[in-house]
Amino acid sequence: SNEMRQDAIVAVIIAAICMLIYIWLRFKDIRFGASAVLALLHDVLIVLAFYAIARISVGNTFIACMLTIIGYSINASIVIFDRIRENLGNSKKHSDEALKEIVNRSITQTLTRSIYTSLTTFIMLAVLYIFGVATIREFALPLMVGIIAGAFSSVFLTGNMWLIFRAAKEKHQAKSVAREAEKEKLSLIHI
């Protein structure tokens, strides 16, 4: 059990690092990757908590469940990020309010797709849980929890985290510019 848990943790970490690098390269912005990986961490922790609360044994299905949830959730996040990138390219203004509107519009435009995908997957897993054998049930039940957590994090967390990271970077850049201007002003005063 401990070895399986360690293997699952290593697999999740490797998958998260690879996804961070892929998203960073694809979107040319590490903030997209960082927010996606944090959302994945949310999903994994929710399912891990479910395993602990439901006292489901940790085995091969645990690793498969975690990696399936990561793959499913990252797909939904990338769809939203892709729409954000498209809407950013179509927008001429990039103020804070305009960025919030772009993220909100992007999530709204992909919401129906996200709901339909999550709902159809959830229904299929529910059928597998009801009619499946014990090993299938062991896989389907935590996966249903993961699908719900993944849908939540993709729609409600990833875009907002990207906005927070972007605002933090812009705030840091503004402080750097202000410091440089202050240094220049002080150097002019001494001359």
Side-chain angles (χ1 to χ4, degrees):
S1 173
N2 285 338
E3 188 177 325
M4 288 285 189
R5 198 173 343 187
Q6 286 177 332
D7 289 346
I9 290 169
V10 169
V12 166
I13 290 171
I14 290 171
I17 290 170
C18 290
M19 286 181 205
L20 175 67
I21 292 168
Y22 169 74
I23 294 169
W24 182 11
L25 293 174
R26 180 167 181 215
F27 290 97
K28 296 174 181 65
D29 187 354
I30 196 160
R31 293 176 298 241
F32 282 115
S35 59
V37 168
L38 285 175
L40 291 178
L41 181 64
H42 164 268
D43 302 340
V44 167
L45 290 176
I46 294 289
V47 174
L48 191 60
F50 177 75
Y51 264 93
I53 291 168
R55 298 186 183 266
I56 298 174
S57 64
V58 173
N60 287 335
T61 56
F62 176 75
I63 297 171
C65 183
M66 289 299 184
L67 292 176
T68 303
I69 290 164
I70 286 174
Y72 185 85
S73 181
I74 199 70
N75 183 41
S77 297
I78 285 177
V79 168
I80 293 171
F81 288 156
D82 203 32
R83 189 57 60 101
I84 290 172
R85 183 176 60 180
E86 285 176 18
N87 288 337
L88 275 173
N90 295 337
S91 175
K92 295 188 189 330
K93 295 189 306 181
H94 289 206
S95 67
D96 284 345
E97 290 303 315
L99 284 175
K100 288 177 185 177
E101 179 59 35
I102 288 170
V103 170
N104 188 37
R105 186 173 354 113
S106 301
I107 291 171
T108 303
Q109 290 170 345
T110 58
L111 187 62
T112 304
R113 178 220 176 262
S114 297
I115 290 172
Y116 286 160
T117 304
S118 298
L119 188 61
T120 55
T121 306
F122 186 85
I123 290 170
M124 184 271 312
L125 288 169
V127 169
L128 281 175
Y129 181 77
I130 293 168
F131 296 114
V133 294
T135 54
I136 297 293
R137 287 182 181 167
E138 235 178 68
F139 180 71
L141 187 60
L143 205 52
M144 286 190 288
V145 172
I147 294 298
I148 293 168
F152 173 81
S153 69
S154 295
V155 172
F156 296 107
L157 298 180
T158 55
N160 291 319
M161 283 190 285
W162 177 78
L163 271 175
I164 290 168
F165 291 150
R166 184 166 174 131
K169 182 181 178 192
E170 288 175 357
K171 186 176 181 181
H172 178 71
Q173 286 174 339
K175 283 182 181 179
S176 296
V177 168
R179 271 186 253 141
E180 289 299 319
E182 187 66 31
K183 285 179 187 177
E184 194 173 303
K185 184 178 175 183
L186 288 174
S187 68
L188 290 174
I189 290 174
H190 290 316
I191 294 178

